[in-house]
C-alpha cells in the first residue's frame, strides 16, 4: 500500500483492564470458560468510547518496503494454516472456502472473553451527542441504509475500536436502550487487529500468515476488523454485498477472514455465499464524497438470485475465507441465541489503497503489515 507505517505501534495507557474476566452466560448457552491471561490487557479511552492508538510514535517508511514478505513456497500443506493446492483451487473457483477448526478452542475462548472486557468497559452514556433527557446517541450500524448510518463516528472508526448498536436496540419513546448494552450492540470495530492484544495476536498469527501466503499475497496488510454480535432476536440482516465495495485497492486484493466464535445456523443468522459470484467483478463502490464529509455509492448491485446462495452452517472455530468480490449475506437472527464472529480483512501491500475509501488511517496511525512487531515486543526493545 502506498502509505506510511511506523516501525512500532504503541498503545496508549489511559486505562488497563485485565482480559481474564469470566464470560457472562447468554440465553440458551452455557458460558464459555475464559482462559487465564494474567498479563493480557486491553486499552480503553477514559471516555469509554473505544480503544485508541498512541500518537507518540513517528511515521516510518512506505508500507511494504523493507518488510520480509511471506514465502508461499514455504507455506506447504504441512504448515499450520497453509492451504493445500486443492483448497487454493477451490477458493479461486468458488470465491469462498470453509476451513473447519481453524481457530482452536483456547483462541475462540480468548476472543469471546476479550470482547466481554471491551463491552464491559464501554459506557454508552459518554458518546458525543447524548442529550440532557438521557437519550443515547444512536450510533447504529445498518446495511439497509448504510449511507445514512455512515456518520463521522463511523468514518473515524478505522482508527479506533468503536461501538455500533442494533437498529432495534433503542426505545423510540425514550431514546434509551431496551436491554443491557451487551445484548444491544451490532458490532465493534474497526481496528481490533491493531489495538487489542488478543485480536492482534490471532490476526497476525503464523497460521494466518501461512494461509495468506498460500494465496500468493506478498505483503499481507490487515486494514479492517470487526467483532460481530448478531444478537438474539434483534440481530439485523446484512444484505448481499461484496467486501471490495468498501475496501478497494489497485489492483483489487481484498481477502476476508471470517471466524465463527459461536455455532452458526440458519436460525441465528449464518452466512450465505454465492458460488463463483466473484468472477463478475465489483459492481458497486462506497466512496467518500469530496469536501462533503459523507459517503456516496457509485454503481449498483444487480438483483441477486437468493436461490443461488448456499448456507454456511458452521461450528465455532470455523473460518470462512472470502474473496473480496464474493457476494455474501446473513439473514436476521430470529433465534434466542447469539452468533458472535470475528472478521478481519487484508489487502496486499503491493497494491495501492484507494484514497476515496471510507476507511483512512491517520498519519500517526498507519496500516501495519503482518511482519510488523507487536506492541509489547517493540516496547521491550526501547
Amino acid at each position: 500500500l502506498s502509505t506510511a507505517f511506523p516501525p512500532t505501534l504503541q498503545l496508549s495507557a489511559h486505562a488497563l483492564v485485565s482480559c481474564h474476566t469470566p464470560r457472562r452466560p447468554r440465553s440458551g448457552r452455557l458460558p464459555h470458560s475464559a482462559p487465564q491471561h494474567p498479563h493480557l490487557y486491553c486499552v480503553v479511552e477514559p471516555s469509554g468510547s473505544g480503544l485508541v492508538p498512541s500518537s507518540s510514535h513517528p511515521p516510518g517508511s512506505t508500507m511494504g518496503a523493507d518488510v520480509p514478505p511471506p514465502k508461499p513456497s514455504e507455506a506447504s500443506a504441512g504448515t499450520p494454516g497453509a492451504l493445500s493446492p486443492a483448497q487454493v483451487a477451490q477458493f479461486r473457483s468458488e470465491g469462498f472456502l470453509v476451513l473447519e477448526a481453524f481457530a482452536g478452542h483456547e483462541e475462540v475462548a480468548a476472543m469471546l472473553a476479550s470482547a466481554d472486557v471491551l463491552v464491559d468497559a464501554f459506557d454508552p452514556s459518554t458518546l458525543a451527542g447524548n442529550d440532557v433527557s438521557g437519550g443515547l446517541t444512536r450510533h447504529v450500524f445498518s446495511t439497509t441504509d448504510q449511507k445514512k448510518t455512515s456518520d463521522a463516528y463511523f468514518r473515524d472508526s478505522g482508527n479506533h475500536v468503536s461501538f455500533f448498536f442494533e437498529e432495534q436496540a433503542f426505545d423510540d419513546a425514550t431514546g434509551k436502550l431496551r436491554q443491557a448494552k451487551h445484548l444491544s450492540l451490532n458490532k465493534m470495530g474497526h481496528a481490533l487487529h491493531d489495538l487489542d492484544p488478543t485480536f492482534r495476536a490471532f490476526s497476525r498469527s503464523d497460521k494466518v500468515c501461512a494461509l495468506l501466503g498460500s494465496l500468493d499475497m506478498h505483503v499481507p496488510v490487515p486494514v479492517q476488523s470487526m467483532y460481530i454480535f448478531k444478537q438474539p432476536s434483534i440481530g439485523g440482516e446484512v444484505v448481499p454485498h461484496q467486501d471490495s465495495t468498501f475496501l478497494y485497492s489497485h489492483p483489487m486484493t481484498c481477502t476476508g477472514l471470517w471466524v465463527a466464535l459461536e455455532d452458526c445456523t440458519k436460525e441465528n443468522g449464518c452466512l450465505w455465499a454465492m458460488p463463483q459470484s466473484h468472477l463478475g467483478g465489483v459492481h458497486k463502490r462506497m466512496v467518500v464524497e469530496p469536501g462533503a464529509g459523507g459517503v456516496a455509492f457509485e454503481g449498483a448491485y444487480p438483483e441477486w438470485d437468493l436461490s443461488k446462495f448456499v448456507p454456511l452452517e458452521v461450528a465455532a472455530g470455523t473460518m470462512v475465507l472470502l474473496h473480496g468480490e464474493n457476494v455474501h449475506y446473513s439473514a436476521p437472527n430470529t433465534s434466542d441465541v447469539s452468533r458472535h464472529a470475528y472478521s478481519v480483512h487484508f489487502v496486499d501491500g503491493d497494491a495501492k489503497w484507494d484514497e476515496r475509501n471510507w476507511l483512512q488511517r491517520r498519519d500517526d496511525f498507519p496500516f501495519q503489515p503482518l511482519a510488523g512487531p507487536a506492541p509489547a515486543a517493540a516496547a521491550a526493545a526501547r
Side-chain angles (χ1 to χ4, degrees):
L1 290 175
S2 57
T3 184
F5 74 95
T8 64
L9 178 67
Q10 181 183 5
L11 298 181
S12 59
H14 297 300
L16 295 177
V17 186
S18 173
C19 289
H20 61 268
T21 302
R23 181 160 177 75
R24 67 171 59 84
R26 281 199 202 89
S27 174
R29 290 286 173 87
L30 293 175
H32 293 263
S33 58
Q36 300 301 305
H37 294 300
H39 303 297
L40 185 61
Y41 298 96
C42 57
V43 185
V44 182
E45 282 185 302
S47 66
S49 59
L51 298 184
V52 292
S54 167
S55 59
S56 62
H57 54 273
S61 57
T62 301
M63 178 169 284
D66 302 321
V67 178
K71 298 179 180 179
S73 61
E74 295 179 359
S76 64
T79 303
L83 302 178
S84 68
Q87 288 176 315
V88 172
Q90 182 179 351
F91 173 72
R92 289 178 174 162
S93 171
E94 300 299 302
F96 66 95
L97 184 69
V98 175
L99 301 170
E100 295 180 353
F102 187 92
H105 174 75
E106 291 186 358
E107 291 174 309
V108 169
M111 286 188 274
L112 288 166
S114 289
D116 271 345
V117 170
L118 292 171
V119 174
D120 286 343
F122 166 57
D123 182 359
S125 68
T126 62
L127 290 175
N130 292 326
D131 58 48
V132 294
S133 66
L136 299 177
T137 300
R138 300 193 184 194
H139 290 304
V140 167
F141 181 78
S142 169
T143 62
T144 58
D145 191 359
Q146 197 152 359
K147 184 174 180 178
K148 179 180 178 181
T149 58
S150 297
D151 56 11
Y153 180 81
F154 173 84
R155 294 192 304 275
D156 192 43
S157 62
N159 296 288
H160 308 276
V161 175
S162 301
F163 297 80
F164 302 89
F165 292 101
E166 287 286 354
E167 287 187 282
Q168 300 180 45
F170 293 91
D171 184 299
D172 290 334
T174 65
K176 297 181 179 180
L177 293 175
R178 299 178 187 273
Q179 52 195 358
K181 62 182 177 180
H182 72 275
L183 292 174
S184 302
L185 289 166
N186 173 287
K187 70 173 181 177
M188 55 184 176
H190 291 94
L192 284 161
H193 60 279
D194 278 335
L195 295 177
D196 179 86
T198 301
F199 293 102
R200 181 184 175 95
F202 179 83
S203 304
R204 299 176 179 275
S205 62
D206 289 343
K207 61 184 177 182
V208 167
C209 189
L211 183 154
L212 296 170
S214 56
L215 294 176
D216 296 329
M217 187 171 281
H218 298 143
V219 185
V221 182
V223 294
Q224 171 187 275
S225 53
M226 300 177 287
Y227 188 98
I228 306 163
F229 295 90
K230 206 70 167 182
Q231 301 288 3
S233 302
I234 66 169
E237 69 172 323
V238 176
V239 299
H241 66 281
Q242 298 171 299
D243 293 337
S244 289
T245 289
F246 312 98
L247 306 171
Y248 201 89
S249 66
H250 305 273
M252 290 180 291
T253 59
C254 177
T255 303
L257 279 59
W258 188 97
V259 182
L261 301 179
E262 296 179 315
D263 294 346
C264 305
T265 66
K266 294 177 185 177
E267 289 71 31
N268 70 0
C270 70
L271 285 181
W272 293 69
M274 182 190 290
Q276 302 187 348
S277 55
H278 65 301
L279 302 177
V282 177
H283 298 270
K284 180 180 177 180
R285 285 197 59 198
M286 185 171 85
V287 299
V288 175
E289 295 178 305
V295 299
F297 287 95
E298 295 179 350
Y301 289 143
E303 291 293 327
W304 308 112
D305 182 353
L306 296 184
S307 68
K308 294 183 178 180
F309 288 77
V310 295
L312 306 180
E313 296 189 280
V314 299
T318 300
M319 173 183 285
V320 179
L321 184 64
L322 292 164
H323 191 286
E325 293 151 68
N326 171 263
V327 182
H328 53 281
Y329 78 94
S330 65
N333 183 353
T334 59
S335 75
D336 60 357
V337 295
S338 57
R339 192 230 64 189
H340 287 207
Y342 174 63
S343 174
V344 56
H345 291 87
F346 292 82
V347 297
D348 199 320
D350 289 344
K352 182 180 185 298
W353 185 246
D354 195 287
E355 62 185 9
R356 296 196 302 159
N357 282 336
W358 74 269
L359 196 161
Q360 300 292 336
R361 283 285 180 90
R362 298 197 313 265
D363 290 341
D364 60 356
F365 183 47
F367 296 123
Q368 185 179 9
L370 289 192
R382 285 196 295 270

